[in-house]
Each structure stands twice: as C-alpha cells, then as structure tokens.
Amino acid sequence: MIDETDRKLLAATAAGLPLTPEPYAEVGRWIGLSEAEVIARLTALQDRGVIRRIAVAPNHYALGMVANGMSVWDITEPDVYGPQIGALPFVSHCYRRPRAPGWPYNLFAMLHGASRAEVEEKRAEVAALLGPACRGSDILYSTRILKKTGMRLTGDA
C-alpha cells in the first residue's frame, strides 16, 4: 500500500527525473518534500518492491549505437556469469530468465554498437568470457525503436 505522498512522488517521477544537477531536490520542490525525504521514500518504495529500480533509459540511436541486439545465451551458471556480462561497457542490461519450451536460453544481454559487425565482435567477446559454460546462443537485432516509458499509475493503485 502506498500513501498519498508516495502517490505524488510516483506521479512526479513517472516521466523520469528532471535533468538538473540535483534531480531529487527538484522533485522535492514540486511536491513539498526535502531532497532527503524524496531519496528515503524512493528507497523505501524499492525495498518494499513497489518500484524495481531507478535507471537511465538512453536513446542508443541518438548516441550513434544504431546496431542493437538482444543476445540470448543457454548457460550452465547464469548467476555466476550474469553480473560479469552485465558489467561490460557495451551491455546496457543483462538478466536471467527461465527457459521455455522450445526456447533454451536463460541469460539475456542487450549489446550495442555502431554496426552489426561491431555487435558481432562484442558477442564473440561475451562467448569467450562464458567459455564452456555456454551451450548455445543467438542474437535478435532491433529493427525499430520502441517508445520507452516509466511506470504509470492508475486510479486503482
């Protein structure tokens, strides 16, 4: 359950944080909280599982990264290798997923580059890092930009 102040905070940040040197202080000014209160409430919301994370969602195309591929991996130890892959500078997000019927992959990592050839080089780098833990892989290239949006509250939340 969230209170009215949390609801105001979530509504104020739903479209993203302001691009200012002190975004939490700015949000606080909008809704009548201090910067420390905004940070404490967002932390509490994360701890309670109301929000999962606060993250940057860059437009990779605007940054010159026009080849983007979701690499998928069938590996024996995703909990061991996932953090290593996620820490690579060309990976924007990496996560574990359960295998599905006809879909053997359990680790996903979004790779970015200026060309598909560059992304394939980076995919080879990931494969080398995985070594014999990797039983199979594939890559699914982006064909269009999807609109990225943050959480939106309904009247029922």
Side-chain angles (χ1 to χ4, degrees):
M1 200 67 175
I2 61 173
D3 66 18
E4 189 58 32
T5 302
D6 287 339
R7 182 174 295 285
K8 287 178 184 177
L9 176 58
L10 292 171
T13 57
L17 293 173
L19 298 176
T20 65
E22 296 178 327
Y24 299 110
E26 182 69 19
V27 169
R29 282 189 286 279
W30 296 346
I31 61 173
L33 297 175
S34 70
E35 178 181 38
E37 289 171 311
V38 168
I39 293 169
R41 282 185 173 268
L42 288 172
T43 300
L45 289 167
Q46 280 186 285
D47 291 346
R48 292 184 359 237
V50 175
I51 58 176
R52 287 183 291 178
R53 63 189 172 127
I54 299 170
V56 173
N59 179 336
H60 297 97
Y61 292 87
L63 296 173
M65 307 306 260
V66 296
N68 305 290
M70 178 59 75
S71 62
V72 293
W73 306 87
D74 174 14
I75 65 173
T76 57
E77 300 177 73
D79 293 334
V80 172
Y81 290 102
Q84 293 176 34
I85 295 168
L88 294 170
F90 51 83
V91 174
S92 63
H93 50 284
C94 180
Y95 48 91
R96 181 181 185 177
R97 287 283 187 252
R99 292 179 175 91
W103 186 256
Y105 308 110
N106 61 344
L107 191 74
F108 294 57
M110 191 69 180
L111 310 179
H112 302 280
S115 67
R116 283 195 179 193
E118 181 182 340
V119 172
E120 287 297 336
E121 290 172 11
K122 292 173 178 181
R123 181 177 169 209
E125 194 175 323
V126 172
L129 185 137
L130 293 171
C134 181
R135 298 182 293 215
S137 70
D138 204 345
I139 192 161
L140 312 166
Y141 282 100
S142 300
T143 57
R144 62 189 172 107
I145 299 173
L146 299 175
K147 183 179 181 198
K148 297 177 184 181
T149 60
M151 174 184 61
R152 301 293 186 259
L153 290 178
T154 66
D156 302 330

